[in-house]
Amino acid sequence: MSGQKIVVLGTGGTIAGTSAQAGDNIGYTAGQVGVAQLLDAVPGLQTMAGELLIEQVAQIDSKDMDIEVWRALALRCTHHLKDPEVRGIVITHGTDTLEETAWFLHEVLDARKPVVLTCAMRPSTALIPDGPQNLLDAVAVAVAPGATGVLAVAAGEVHGARHVQKMHPYRVHAFASADVGPLGFVEEGQVRLTRNWPLALDGEALIAIENIANVDPWPRVEIVVSHAGATGSMVDALVRDGVQGLVVACTGNGTIHHHLEAALLRAQAAGVAVVRATRCPEGQVLPKPGDPLPDSQGLSPVKARIALMLNLLR
Ligand code: ASP
């Protein structure tokens, strides 16, 4: 039986951004307005949420997201999710790395209650800011009957952590779940699902959270890209520098330039964990018997990096 409290955790982003000139949609500074002030500006939010508990976990532009903020966020979420009074969590976040934080939290939280990330493409000083509606919609999802899992809500759509991806650098409708479409829609405060809520991870997640709290630094995993004219020199340099894992953003169905591939096989032989993800925005690598490098099982390069880092951490 879940409680009535909705926890809102602020981390910054454009939703909390301000520009000197009202209506400037690109020349603003992210992470300026406190999350309590953002919530105050949304009529009807308090009524929809019931009891609200507000915490500012960070105040950053999410392009600068780092392990310290992830650690703090995961620990605050774990704390609140355990509270029987808490019904769900809403996290305000920048759009740039929202999909990474969503996947990270999906991997580490026992999200049998909803953990809903939301954001904005326009700063709070825009002529028509999108943040207030997104916040209201995120709360609607957090209080929706049966909601579970780590979710993202923006532009009237609900996405699951696995597939959500920022697709556009400017337009307000910037997110999609390319292969599968949105998990649902928020319409006038009501959630209309297209399929079931995502299943929350448990057991394994609970082990990970201890490691997240106690291990410092986390394993170092970098991303390299296969492209025309690629060489292996970056991989060789990273191995010399002590990298523990590498994700390669491959062309097409997991193919890699032969110079880069040779370096990745050398890295793997030297004990570095190497994973292939496709750089195509849709679809996933279909592995063939005898592939020398494992694939990311459908995760995009940035999410595969997080999965590999957490696997090494486990
Ligand atoms: N750079 C901003 C951020 O990710 C972009 C945004 O939120 O839309 O924090």
Side-chain angles (χ1 to χ4, degrees):
M1 183 66 193
S2 63
Q4 290 311 310
K5 240 188 265 175
I6 294 295
V7 178
V8 184
L9 304 176
T11 71
T14 294
I15 191 167
T18 55
S19 56
Q21 218 172 343
D24 184 350
N25 290 328
I26 54 171
Y28 62 87
T29 309
Q32 300 299 301
V33 183
V35 63
Q37 203 179 325
L38 292 180
L39 293 167
D40 274 351
V42 187
L45 188 138
Q46 179 76 56
T47 316
M48 184 184 274
E51 194 184 341
L52 272 179
L53 190 75
I54 303 165
E55 269 181 41
Q56 192 79 49
V57 174
Q59 187 61 298
I60 62 167
D61 185 319
S62 85
K63 74 178 176 59
D64 298 323
M65 185 51 70
D66 60 22
I67 278 165
E68 279 65 44
V69 177
W70 273 355
R71 193 197 316 264
L73 198 53
L75 292 175
R76 292 317 291 155
C77 286
T78 302
H79 167 85
H80 289 299
L81 288 172
K82 278 190 195 146
D83 180 349
E85 299 285 301
V86 168
R87 177 162 186 175
I89 299 177
V90 170
I91 301 171
T92 58
H93 199 287
T95 59
D96 286 344
T97 58
L98 183 141
E99 71 213 55
E100 295 179 54
T101 299
W103 184 251
F104 166 70
L105 293 177
H106 169 85
E107 287 259 79
V108 303
L109 296 181
D110 183 357
R112 276 175 272 195
K113 298 173 189 175
V115 177
V116 187
L117 290 106
T118 195
C119 56
M121 288 297 287
R122 301 286 177 264
S124 63
T125 47
L127 296 182
I128 308 177
D130 51 329
Q133 184 68 55
N134 286 346
L135 254 175
L136 195 62
D137 289 351
V139 170
V141 171
V143 299
T148 58
V150 178
L151 307 158
V153 170
E157 293 181 349
V158 187
H159 298 274
R162 173 171 279 275
H163 291 104
V164 67
Q165 209 173 339
K166 186 173 179 180
M167 294 295 205
H168 200 282
Y170 181 72
R171 70 181 176 217
V172 171
H173 184 192
F175 286 88
S177 295
D179 260 356
V180 295
L183 185 71
F185 304 93
V186 190
E187 296 155 338
E188 298 300 303
Q190 297 300 312
V191 179
R192 176 166 60 92
L193 289 179
T194 59
R195 52 188 186 280
N196 292 337
W197 296 108
L199 290 178
L201 225 125
D202 38 74
E204 218 181 351
L206 298 178
I207 300 167
I209 200 77
E210 283 163 20
N211 291 351
I212 280 159
N214 301 328
V215 176
D216 202 15
W218 292 356
R220 181 168 167 213
V221 180
E222 301 278 356
I223 301 174
V224 294
V225 183
S226 188
H227 52 82
T231 71
S233 56
M234 211 143 52
V235 168
D236 292 335
L238 285 168
V239 173
R240 279 196 300 277
D241 204 37
V243 80
Q244 289 152 282
L246 286 168
V247 171
V248 52
C250 301
T251 40
N253 189 30
T255 52
I256 307 172
H257 191 291
H258 64 101
H259 289 315
L260 179 60
E261 186 168 29
L264 289 165
L265 291 171
R266 282 197 295 279
Q268 185 175 248
V272 176
V274 181
V275 170
R276 291 179 303 144
T278 181
R279 62 178 218 189
C280 295
E282 293 188 37
Q284 64 181 74
V285 174
L286 302 174
K288 303 184 298 302
D291 279 341
L293 296 171
D295 68 277
S296 67
Q297 307 198 322
L299 294 179
S300 65
V302 289
K303 291 181 191 175
R305 176 183 167 273
I306 294 161
L308 182 53
M309 188 173 68
L310 292 172
N311 276 341
L312 294 171
L313 198 61
R314 276 180 198 126

